[in-house]
Amino acid sequence: MTTVVPTSEEDPALAVVRFTSELAWADAGPEVVEQQVSRLCLEAQECIVMGRWLDLASLMLTSADLIFSNSKVSEKDLECIFTVICNLVSKSESPDEQLEMAKLLCGKIIQQPTDKPALRLKILFNLYNLLENTYSRFYVYMKVLNLAASGKVTEHVIPSFKKIDSFLKEWNLEVKDQRDLFLGISNVLRESKSSGKDSFKFLTKYLATFSGEDAYAMGEAKEEAVRTIIEFVKAPDMFQCDLLDMPAVGQLEKDAKYALVYQLLKIFLTQRLDAYLEFQAANSALLKSYGLVHEDCIAKMRLMSLVDLASDGSGRVPYTLIKDTLRINDDEVELWVVKAITAKLINCKMDQMSQVVLVSSCAERVFGQHQWLALRLKLATWRDNIANVINAIQANKITEDGSQAMQGLMIR
C-alpha cells in the first residue's frame, strides 16, 4: 500500500497540476472534474515524495498542448507554468534522468512550432539555463535551432551564434554532434536570409568535419557540399574559399550526378571568364535548375578573372588584356578595375597614359595548403629581415656608445 505524505497546496508543482487538470476536464462536469483533479494531485504528491521527477514531469506535461491553445491562459501564465515544470530538472541528481526530462519537455514544447513560437523559444532557453549536464544543454540548444527555423523566429537565436566557440569548448561534442550543430546553425541563417556569408561559414565548418572519412560517411555530405558550392557561386561578395581542398567537396569530382557542379566551382576558383562562358553554353539548364543567374555569374567571373590577371607576378596588366579577358568595351576597363578595388580584390594604380594597371597586391582566389606554405615562407623571410635590422641597430648603438666613451676619455 502506498503511503502519501501530505504536501502543502502551496507547492508550485501541485498548483500547476491542479490548474492544468481543471482546464483539461472542464467540460466533463463538476463531479468528474473533482474526481480527476484529486486523482492527479494524489499521483503528483506521490511522485514528489518518492523523488520520481521524470514521472512528475510527464504527468504535468499531459495537458501541455491544451494549455498552449487555451485562450483563457495568458502568455505570462504559460511561462510561469512551464518555468515550474522545467525547474524539475534541477531537482534530479542523475544526468541521464535530466537528459530524459529535457527530451520530454522539448518534445512537448516544439510540437506546434508556429503557435506562439517566441514564447516556446523563451521556455527552451529557460530550460537550457536550468540544466547542469553539458550534453543535455546541447540537446536543448539543437531543439532551439529547429524551433527557430520552423517557427520563423530566427532573430531570437542568431545572437547566440557569437558564443558558439565557447559552447563547443563547454559541450565537448563528438564529431557527429558537431556536424549537426554546424548544419543546424547554417539552416537558421539561411532561413533568416540575413547573412549569406555566415551561413556559408558554418556550412564549410560542417564539411570540414568529414576530413578523412570513409566513402559511406562522406556520402552524407554530398547534398550539403553542392549547396555550399552554389551558395559560393551565387554570392556577389565572396571571391575566396578553400572548398577545393575539402574531401567532402572533392568526392563530387567523379560523381555521376554532381560532377558538373564541382567543375563549375573549379572554373570560378581557378579559371577565367571564357571557361565559364563555354561551360554555360553547354549546361545552361543545369545553372537555371540551381537558381543561378547568368548575368550575375558573368559579373562575378569578370572580377575573378581580373584577380587572376593581377596575380601573374609582373605587376603590370595592360588595358587591352583586361578588355579581351573580361570581354568588355574600352571604356569599361577602368570601371571594372574600380569595382575590383572596391571589393578589396586588388590594390593598384591606373596609368591612363600608358594604358596599364600597376598592381601592388591582390587577393588569392584559393587559399589552401600551397598558399599557407607560401605565407609561412614570406613570414619567415620578414622575421629574418627584421632580425637583421635589429642586429644592425644594436651594432651601430654599440659602436656609437664606444665612440662617445672614447671622446669622454680624451676630454679628461
Side-chain angles (χ1 to χ4, degrees):
M1 181 177 177
T2 303
T3 302
V4 177
V5 178
T7 309
S8 169
E9 280 290 308
E10 297 299 319
D11 188 293
L14 285 178
V16 167
V17 170
R18 179 175 294 281
F19 179 77
T20 55
S21 57
E22 285 176 350
L23 281 176
W25 294 94
D27 298 331
E31 291 183 4
V32 176
V33 171
E34 185 177 352
Q35 180 184 357
Q36 293 299 329
V37 170
S38 297
R39 177 181 64 82
L40 291 170
C41 285
L42 283 171
E43 190 176 338
Q45 283 181 318
E46 182 179 347
C47 291
I48 293 171
V49 172
M50 302 297 292
R52 290 165 33 214
W53 307 116
L54 179 60
D55 291 340
L56 181 58
S58 179
L59 175 66
M60 295 172 74
L61 286 168
T62 303
S63 305
D65 296 334
L66 175 66
I67 301 169
F68 267 108
S69 60
N70 195 311
S71 59
K72 296 179 181 178
V73 183
S74 67
E75 290 200 4
K76 186 177 180 180
D77 288 338
L78 273 170
E79 186 178 349
C80 289
I81 289 168
F82 275 91
T83 297
V84 173
I85 302 175
C86 290
N87 194 55
L88 294 178
V89 299
S90 61
K91 295 181 180 294
S92 175
E93 297 179 358
S94 166
D96 291 338
E97 187 177 49
Q98 275 197 8
L99 178 59
E100 289 305 311
M101 290 169 73
K103 288 180 178 179
L104 186 66
L105 283 157
C106 289
K108 283 291 185 180
I109 294 167
I110 69 172
Q111 210 162 39
Q112 299 291 334
T114 56
D115 178 28
K116 302 180 180 72
L119 176 61
R120 292 175 188 266
L121 266 187
K122 190 175 182 180
I123 293 169
L124 284 180
F125 277 124
N126 181 41
L127 174 61
Y128 177 94
N129 291 325
L130 288 165
L131 290 164
E132 294 181 0
N133 179 265
T134 54
Y135 188 79
S136 296
R137 284 188 157 202
F138 163 71
Y139 179 88
V140 172
Y141 190 80
M142 289 302 300
K143 297 303 178 183
V144 164
L145 296 181
N146 294 337
L147 177 59
S150 301
K152 313 290 186 186
V153 283
T154 54
E155 67 275 11
H156 295 293
V157 71
I158 287 176
S160 69
F161 296 164
K162 296 177 182 178
K163 300 178 181 178
I164 287 301
D165 288 340
S166 63
F167 287 164
L168 285 171
K169 291 178 182 178
E170 176 193 340
W171 295 336
N172 192 27
L173 301 176
E174 295 182 358
V175 172
K176 184 181 183 305
D177 290 328
Q178 289 182 34
R179 288 173 187 163
D180 292 341
L181 177 64
F182 295 144
L183 195 55
I185 292 174
S186 178
N187 289 336
V188 168
L189 289 167
R190 179 175 61 171
E191 182 66 36
S192 72
K193 298 178 182 178
S194 60
S195 178
K197 279 188 175 181
D198 286 339
S199 174
F200 179 82
K201 179 181 75 173
F202 281 102
L203 267 180
T204 55
K205 283 178 177 287
Y206 165 79
L207 295 178
T209 64
F210 287 91
S211 182
E213 293 286 336
D214 58 50
Y216 176 79
M218 199 89 73
E220 294 179 26
K222 280 186 180 180
E223 296 290 337
E224 303 307 332
V226 171
R227 173 184 154 192
T228 310
I229 291 172
I230 298 303
E231 282 198 12
F232 173 76
V233 173
K234 277 184 179 180
D237 55 351
M238 283 196 287
F239 303 95
Q240 182 189 82
C241 70
D242 55 358
L243 292 178
L244 290 176
D245 286 338
M246 293 186 177
V249 175
Q251 67 176 326
L252 302 179
E253 185 174 13
K254 297 180 180 179
D255 186 86
K257 185 177 180 181
Y258 298 124
L260 286 174
V261 177
Y262 180 86
Q263 186 181 340
L264 178 65
L265 174 67
K266 205 164 185 178
I267 288 171
F268 268 78
L269 288 176
T270 64
Q271 299 181 49
R272 297 179 181 175
L273 179 62
D274 56 347
Y276 165 74
L277 292 174
E278 184 179 341
F279 179 90
Q280 190 275 337
N283 302 285
S284 59
L286 174 76
L287 297 179
K288 287 180 181 178
S289 70
Y290 285 111
L292 294 170
V293 179
H294 180 50
E295 291 74 15
D296 294 342
C297 290
I298 288 178
K300 183 164 181 171
M301 274 306 299
R302 279 176 173 157
L303 290 171
M304 300 290 256
S305 301
L306 189 50
V307 171
D308 198 50
L309 291 174
S311 64
D312 70 352
S314 69
R316 296 173 61 88
V317 185
Y319 278 28
T320 53
L321 181 58
I322 295 174
K323 172 197 166 187
D324 294 341
T325 304
L326 274 56
R327 301 195 181 189
I328 53 179
N329 298 324
D330 291 331
D331 59 355
E332 295 179 286
V333 170
E334 293 185 357
L335 172 65
W336 281 97
V337 173
V338 170
K339 286 183 178 182
I341 295 171
T342 304
K344 297 182 180 180
L345 294 175
I346 59 174
N347 190 6
C348 65
K349 293 180 180 179
M350 288 179 280
D351 186 343
Q352 295 176 321
M353 294 295 293
S354 303
Q355 293 285 282
V356 66
V357 175
L358 304 174
V359 180
S360 54
S361 64
C362 67
E364 295 279 359
R365 296 165 72 184
V366 177
F367 207 90
Q369 188 67 22
H370 175 74
Q371 285 72 28
W372 279 114
L373 290 173
L375 179 59
R376 181 181 179 182
L377 180 62
K378 186 178 291 186
L379 289 173
T381 302
W382 287 350
R383 182 189 61 192
D384 293 341
N385 290 341
I386 291 171
N388 290 335
V389 171
I390 292 172
N391 291 335
I393 292 172
Q394 289 176 340
N396 288 335
K397 189 175 185 302
I398 291 171
T399 302
E400 289 175 2
D401 290 346
S403 299
Q404 290 174 0
M406 288 298 296
Q407 289 176 2
L409 289 172
M410 290 173 65
I411 290 171
R412 290 177 184 176

